[in-house]
Amino acid sequence: MIGNALTSDLALAADPAVLAQRLGIVPDPWQLDVLRSTDTRLCLCCSRQAGKSTISAVLALHAALYEPGSVTLIAAPSQRQSVEMFRTITRYYRALGRPVAAESENTQSLALENGSRIVSLPGDERTTRGYASVRLLIIDEAARVPDEFLAAVRPMLAVSGGRLVALSTPWGQRGWFHQAATSKRGWRVMRVPASECPRISAEFLAEELESMGEWNFKQEYGCEFVSASGSYFDPADIAALSSKAVQPLFGGQS
Ligand SMILES: Nc1ncnc2c1ncn2[C@@H]1O[C@H](COP(=O)(O)OP(=O)(O)OP(=O)(O)O)[C@@H](O)[C@H]1O
Ligand SMILES: [Mg+2]
């Protein structure tokens, strides 16, 4: 039902931070900045576990509830990953007591009676074309989302003047996310290393550095785009090869 106590609350409608508060989330300073920013291109270059997916999920839910008729798309390198954020959004939606009733709800999309929709996209750009008037496009694990995917989805924001929020830990000096995070124009960039996250202890970080080595640590926790200087292949490219869904010739199921 449109117009219940939650949806007619002006403070909630005007400020996504109030929505976070209702969900029991006390945003870190940078998360508060995300919730209140109006930048049309926002690049969150963050440590692992900093809270970037959580805060983007709040943004998505706020747009759906308070911008009637809006379309919000959640993208990631794979549908499994975009569904993960979608699940967080629907969990928050239920926790609030479904302030706007759902017209339809399944594991990948939520359509509300106010005409808004939230859709979790598959990672394949060939099947993601065709959404119009997108108000908010959130790309999670953006450093691993190929340039072709961005090229396919960006036009969906053209007519609506919609917003693009890209969030990721760095993954090598390549691709559109690296460009966005290091660009001086077009994007508002927020960098959040693990040292600025109150939930990640110095002891844990020391352990991680020890076990994963400096190259991985700088990217995973330090927000640094590291290239493999002095070596012919970039370790991230090698990792990308082994992460492709190619069955090994021998010893198939592992
Ligand atoms: N402001 C906050 N207060 C308390 N807990 C938080 C806050 N923000 C995030 N968290 C919690 O921190 C954990 C990591 O959050 P989240 O999954 O959003 O991080 P992430 O940056 O997307 O991590 P990853 O890089 O692993 O995807 C989750 O358990 C989440 O509930
Ligand atoms: Mg995440």
Side-chain angles (χ1 to χ4, degrees):
M1 230 188 56
I2 302 170
N4 75 9
L6 266 183
T7 50
S8 58
D9 184 326
L10 284 179
L12 262 170
D15 187 359
V18 181
L19 187 67
Q21 194 184 25
R22 295 287 167 94
L23 288 163
I25 299 168
V26 181
D28 298 339
W30 71 271
Q31 288 178 316
L32 199 58
D33 214 359
V34 170
L35 293 173
R36 291 185 169 156
S37 99
T38 53
D39 302 280
T40 51
R41 301 288 176 266
L42 187 57
C43 173
L44 308 179
C45 180
C46 303
S47 157
R48 293 294 313 279
Q49 290 290 293
K52 53 195 176 299
S53 299
T54 300
I55 219 60
S56 303
V58 176
L59 268 190
L61 183 57
H62 190 272
L65 293 177
Y66 297 106
E67 293 186 51
S70 63
V71 175
T72 295
L73 301 180
I74 313 296
S78 70
Q79 182 131 42
R80 183 189 61 72
Q81 289 158 307
S82 69
V83 160
E84 198 59 42
M85 186 188 292
F86 181 75
R87 253 195 230 123
T88 306
I89 297 167
T90 50
R91 182 158 53 81
Y92 291 163
Y93 170 64
R94 287 193 299 272
L96 291 170
R98 293 185 160 82
V100 177
E103 239 172 28
S104 71
E105 184 178 351
N106 59 43
T107 54
Q108 288 155 30
S109 71
L110 171 67
L112 300 180
E113 274 188 356
N114 66 1
S116 293
R117 280 189 299 155
I118 304 176
V119 181
S120 139
L121 295 178
D124 186 347
E125 51 97 6
R126 286 168 299 183
T127 53
T128 56
R129 293 163 190 264
Y131 290 95
S133 299
V134 175
R135 192 76 215 109
L136 175 62
L137 169 60
I138 294 177
I139 308 186
D140 201 357
E141 307 291 351
R144 291 164 196 254
V145 166
D147 289 1
E148 300 76 50
F149 185 95
L150 188 74
V153 292
R154 261 185 98 114
M156 297 175 194
L157 303 166
V159 174
S160 58
R163 218 176 163 203
L164 173 54
V165 178
L167 44 141
S168 193
T169 49
W171 199 48
Q173 295 181 349
R174 75 163 85 63
W176 67 273
F177 183 78
H178 169 247
Q179 242 170 35
T182 53
S183 69
K184 301 275 179 286
R185 282 185 301 126
W187 290 85
R188 161 98 188 272
V189 181
M190 294 190 198
R191 284 183 76 257
V192 187
S195 54
E196 287 176 22
C197 178
R199 291 168 296 282
I200 303 178
S201 71
E203 294 74 36
F204 176 80
L205 290 176
E207 223 176 82
E208 287 290 272
L209 174 59
E210 175 78 26
S211 79
M212 65 172 54
E214 205 179 339
W215 191 88
N216 281 315
F217 184 84
K218 280 181 171 170
Q219 299 209 99
E220 296 283 272
Y221 295 104
C223 303
E224 288 184 46
F225 292 86
V226 190
S227 79
S229 58
S231 116
Y232 192 75
F233 295 108
D234 186 329
D237 286 327
I238 295 167
L241 284 176
S242 61
S243 73
K244 295 252 167 67
V246 176
Q247 287 298 312
L249 283 176
F250 305 101
Q253 311 289 322
S254 60

